[in-house]
Amino acid sequence: MRTNRIRTTAIAATALAAALSLTACGGDDKAMGTKPAGAAETATPAATSTDGKAQQDAPETGAPETQTVPAERKHAGGNGKKPEAAPNTGAAASIPVCSAQNSRVTVSDVRRPINHLLLTVTNTGSKDCATYHAPFLRFDGAQAVYPILDESKPQAVVVLSPGEKAYAGISLSGEPGENELHKSENLGVIMVDRNNKPKGEVTLKLPAETYTDHLGFVTYWQSDINSALGI
């Protein structure tokens, strides 16, 4: 399993500060069942999920790291589908971010690995959208961005055709018993564009009995569930 080399960048912190200026967050989410952290089970990810509502864009931030769609762009699916070639650099860079305006974000419990959740974004629009970087997460309205696993950065931005999905794995804690756990009920999810600028926040209801500590992290967006969960 991957090592827990985690970083929370100054860029993410600056971007989150901008995101906190949003006046509202999505709601109408449904609660989902889960097992307490530390309950060892082996199975496949559960399908339960929650929905969030669209929010307004956050103000611009200064000089963030950029991530553009390469000529060979990675499409989601994991079914042997070959990457499509972008027509040109300008066209690739113009692919819009998968945001609350054109996609739906859900969170679900998984049985393995333990102490993990699965974040899924689905393109609900009529055109391609791109899942840039990693999502910015806030448990119960925390001011700091949840740590991002830098080593999970994919070789290419995952581009979603209408109906396709991308995934990010959320590790909730370190080894059981190592640190104090905190119960969380809600998760704020902030999508970012290719310049790492926040593009609105949705709030999801977390599975019951969700606990976190300071050793958790979220991965970059991936094209398949196994890559997101490190299995």
Side-chain angles (χ1 to χ4, degrees), residues 73-87:
R73 66 194 192 194
K74 186 175 183 181
H75 266 265
N79 297 319
K81 190 174 183 180
K82 293 183 179 180
E84 296 180 8

Side-chain angles (χ1 to χ4, degrees), residues 145-181:
V145 173
Y146 202 59
I148 295 169
L149 186 67
D150 190 48
E151 68 185 45
S152 67
K153 184 175 182 179
Q155 293 182 346
V157 175
V158 180
V159 177
L160 304 182
S161 295
E164 287 188 332
K165 304 176 186 292
Y167 309 91
I170 304 173
S171 174
L172 297 173
S173 63
E175 293 298 323
E178 281 190 356
N179 298 282
E180 181 180 358
L181 297 175

Side-chain angles (χ1 to χ4, degrees), residues 150-215:
D150 190 48
E151 68 185 45
S152 67
K153 184 175 182 179
Q155 293 182 346
V157 175
V158 180
V159 177
L160 304 182
S161 295
E164 287 188 332
K165 304 176 186 292
Y167 309 91
I170 304 173
S171 174
L172 297 173
S173 63
E175 293 298 323
E178 281 190 356
N179 298 282
E180 181 180 358
L181 297 175
H182 302 278
K183 186 175 181 178
S184 297
E185 296 183 354
N186 300 294
L187 178 66
V189 181
I190 302 171
M191 303 296 289
V192 298
D193 65 14
R194 66 191 183 91
N195 295 317
N196 231 355
K197 285 170 42 183
K199 302 302 291 184
E201 180 176 9
V202 296
T203 300
L204 308 179
K205 187 70 175 178
L206 286 165
E209 303 299 318
T210 295
Y211 292 86
T212 64
D213 66 18
H214 70 278
L215 294 179

Side-chain angles (χ1 to χ4, degrees), residues 13-137:
T14 302
L16 178 63
L20 292 179
S21 65
L22 297 173
T23 58
C25 295
D28 300 334
D29 304 303
K30 298 180 181 179
M32 300 164 291
T34 188
K35 299 289 183 184
E41 294 183 333
T42 57
T44 54
T48 309
S49 62
T50 55
D51 299 338
K53 292 183 179 179
Q55 301 297 312
Q56 67 185 56
D57 288 356
E60 295 188 4
T61 58
E65 175 189 1
T66 62
Q67 183 184 24
T68 59
V69 181
E72 289 267 325
R73 66 194 192 194
K74 186 175 183 181
H75 266 265
N79 297 319
K81 190 174 183 180
K82 293 183 179 180
E84 296 180 8
N88 53 60
T89 303
S94 68
I95 296 176
V97 62
C98 296
S99 67
Q101 285 70 41
N102 59 12
S103 59
R104 180 169 59 96
V105 181
T106 63
V107 65
S108 58
D109 188 20
V110 295
R111 295 185 177 91
R112 69 179 180 92
I114 62 172
N115 301 330
H116 278 67
L117 297 176
L118 180 68
L119 203 62
T120 304
V121 58
T122 305
N123 181 351
T124 58
S126 59
K127 299 179 180 179
D128 286 2
C129 67
T131 55
Y132 297 101
H133 302 285
F136 292 172
L137 303 184

